[in-house]
Amino acid sequence: MAFGLIIIGDEILSGRRVDKHFPKVLELLSQRGLQLSWAEYVGDDRERITATLKRTLASNDVVFCTGGIGATPDDHTRQCAAAALGVSLALHPEAKEKIQERIADMAREAGSTPDFDAPENQHRLKMGEFPQGASIIPNPYNKIPGFSLKNPGGQGAHYFAPGFPVMAWPMFEWVLDTHYADQFHRQAWAERSMLVFEAMESTLTPLMEAIEAQFPLVKVFSLPHVGDEKTRRHIDLGVKGDPAQVEPAFEKMQEGLRSLRAEYQISA
């Protein structure tokens, strides 16, 4: 099962806000023995959002989406999700109930009686207009829910939350713990690495290829660094994958580096 992440919003691409969702989603998944397979950033452009969702909805992936589910002119995600599926938006009855609970809470805090027919409160209900067939995702912060969609013809699903971390993160945790607990820690995983100093990747490539050929459940990674005031030029070289193969593959890697007379330091 592959997990993906779509982060929507011009404010991220312009630098007006710094994205915090990517590292947090990595953390939420890794805590549960899961991995993120891909991530995309998309601006507030209806055609681009719709095209992106049409493509990802055709997959079997589990996709988390943040941003653009409000009811202001620059929020397009709900409409684009509906367009990607070829369905219309409709006020979800559970979403309506939760939004009205929020309206009542706000009125009570202000010492007044809620007027559900007031124009501003009628407008708030638009945040509960989801593509037909959607289910709600509870929002413990302010009760205004997100929504989920099953991928048509596939085994995956899409989960839509607001762009605010204080809302999105507990909502994504709820999704994982409610729907994917049976996937937690199913695949054992290990990683070992070292710093190889003053080496060229072209020199190390045959060794990396040989290790992947000999250990099919392992992937080799190579991350070059130009060096700085703390560390000389080096390559962060390592192996990751099935624990049963990671250790012998790592030993093989060290043997190969010694035969190349390469200077290296095993990472902690």
Side-chain angles (χ1 to χ4, degrees), residues 62-66 69 92 94-95 98-99 127-128 130 134-150 157-162 167-180:
V62 174
V63 182
F64 296 112
C65 303
T66 72
I69 67 169
H92 194 288
E94 291 180 69
K98 292 298 181 183
I99 293 170
M127 291 187 289
F130 301 144
S135 300
I136 69 166
I137 303 172
N139 180 346
Y141 184 79
N142 66 1
K143 298 184 179 179
I144 298 176
F147 67 98
S148 66
L149 296 167
K150 291 291 185 182
H158 281 53
Y159 298 93
F160 297 84
M167 301 179 196
W169 297 353
M171 293 168 78
F172 289 158
E173 281 196 271
W174 179 88
V175 167
L176 288 169
D177 295 341
T178 302
H179 296 294
Y180 300 101

Side-chain angles (χ1 to χ4, degrees), residues 27-38:
E27 176 189 322
L28 294 177
L29 291 172
S30 63
Q31 287 172 346
R32 294 160 174 79
L34 304 170
Q35 297 180 55
L36 186 66
S37 296
W38 56 267

Side-chain angles (χ1 to χ4, degrees), residues 5-264:
L5 173 64
I6 300 174
I7 299 164
I8 297 171
D10 284 346
E11 68 277 7
I12 300 296
L13 298 179
S14 68
R16 192 174 184 86
R17 286 186 178 175
V18 176
D19 170 49
K20 298 179 180 179
H21 294 298
F22 180 80
K24 184 62 178 182
V25 170
L26 286 181
E27 176 189 322
L28 294 177
L29 291 172
S30 63
Q31 287 172 346
R32 294 160 174 79
L34 304 170
Q35 297 180 55
L36 186 66
S37 296
W38 56 267
E40 295 188 31
Y41 292 91
V42 185
D44 294 315
D45 179 274
R46 285 205 182 197
E47 288 187 8
R48 193 176 299 277
I49 297 170
T50 300
T52 299
L53 292 175
K54 187 174 291 187
R55 169 171 47 82
T56 59
L57 281 161
S59 73
N60 289 321
D61 296 348
V62 174
V63 182
F64 296 112
C65 303
T66 72
I69 67 169
T72 57
D74 59 343
D75 290 318
H76 308 298
T77 304
R78 293 177 296 107
Q79 299 90 329
C80 293
L85 289 174
V87 300
S88 60
L89 292 174
L91 180 58
H92 194 288
E94 291 180 69
K96 178 182 179 180
E97 179 181 330
K98 292 298 181 183
I99 293 170
Q100 288 183 331
E101 283 182 20
R102 173 60 178 167
I103 293 170
D105 290 343
M106 293 169 63
R108 185 165 49 253
E109 292 167 6
S112 62
T113 301
D115 180 2
F116 297 116
D117 294 324
E120 64 270 20
N121 288 332
Q122 286 296 303
H123 183 74
R124 286 190 174 100
L125 291 179
K126 288 187 175 296
M127 291 187 289
E129 293 180 356
F130 301 144
Q132 288 183 331
S135 300
I136 69 166
I137 303 172
N139 180 346
Y141 184 79
N142 66 1
K143 298 184 179 179
I144 298 176
F147 67 98
S148 66
L149 296 167
K150 291 291 185 182
N151 296 2
Q155 297 179 352
H158 281 53
Y159 298 93
F160 297 84
F164 299 104
V166 70
M167 301 179 196
W169 297 353
M171 293 168 78
F172 289 158
E173 281 196 271
W174 179 88
V175 167
L176 288 169
D177 295 341
T178 302
H179 296 294
Y180 300 101
D182 62 329
Q183 300 294 320
F184 295 175
H185 304 288
R186 287 184 61 179
Q187 183 176 1
W189 186 265
E191 182 176 312
R192 297 294 306 277
S193 66
M194 65 188 81
L195 304 184
V196 185
F197 297 100
E198 306 296 341
M200 302 292 291
E201 279 191 300
S202 57
T203 303
L204 302 178
T205 297
L207 173 61
M208 292 188 279
E209 292 174 339
I211 288 172
E212 286 199 342
Q214 183 175 350
F215 301 96
L217 301 182
V218 158
K219 287 185 177 180
V220 176
F221 60 88
S222 172
L223 304 172
H225 295 262
V226 297
D228 53 33
E229 66 277 3
K230 295 182 180 179
T231 310
R232 288 181 288 150
R233 183 171 65 91
H234 64 276
I235 295 172
D236 186 0
L237 183 68
V239 291
K240 57 187 178 181
D242 188 301
Q245 291 197 0
V246 162
E247 288 303 324
F250 194 61
E251 290 293 333
K252 190 74 173 180
M253 180 173 280
Q254 292 180 74
E255 291 177 12
L257 291 174
R258 288 193 291 268
S259 69
L260 293 171
R261 299 183 182 277
E263 180 187 356
Y264 67 89

